[in-house]
Amino acid sequence: MPKTRTHTRYVCQQCGRVSAGFMGKCPQCGSFNSMVEEVIAEETGGIKTAARGLSGRSVPRRLSEVSGDAEFRIPVPIGEFARVLGGGLVPGSIVLVGGDPASANRR
């Protein structure tokens, strides 16, 4: 007998946005108290599946199918910093810079 697995999601009745948790106001359309709980039952059939997400299941791809296009980079005037960043800053990315805070004050 196949096992059934249930999970809950919340769907906006105005625009159809799906959320993992309840929200009083839909962030997409702005309507209040339109998020309704839905319980989803899935038959697993004894096969273990990966963690679910709101976007569905991911499918593995071969490396030859993945595009390796280089991103456009904004040049950085500090040569070593540009080298660490792979040639410059990628628009829309975030870079965390860390280091010893006392190293700049040493003489």
Side-chain angles (χ1 to χ4, degrees):
M1 180 173 191
K3 294 183 179 180
T4 58
R5 183 178 75 177
T6 61
H7 64 274
T8 303
R9 69 179 184 179
Y10 295 86
V11 180
C12 177
Q13 298 301 298
Q14 300 297 320
C15 66
R17 179 183 169 122
V18 178
S19 173
F22 177 76
M23 297 181 186
K25 178 181 176 185
C26 177
Q28 186 168 334
C29 68
S31 62
F32 286 94
N33 297 324
S34 63
M35 303 297 277
V36 175
E37 180 181 17
E38 289 184 357
V39 177
I40 308 298
E42 298 175 346
E43 287 189 11
T44 59
I47 300 172
K48 293 185 177 182
T49 58
R52 69 174 192 279
L54 293 178
S55 62
R57 302 207 193 300
S58 64
V59 179
R61 296 189 293 174
R62 298 192 178 277
L63 286 177
S64 60
E65 297 172 357
V66 178
S67 66
D69 299 335
E71 296 286 333
F72 169 74
R73 296 183 183 270
I74 300 170
V76 179
I78 304 169
E80 186 68 14
F81 189 49
R83 184 188 69 78
V84 170
L85 294 175
L89 294 169
V90 176
S93 67
I94 297 173
V95 178
L96 176 64
V97 179
D100 184 12
S103 62
N105 296 330
R106 289 188 192 151
R107 293 184 190 221

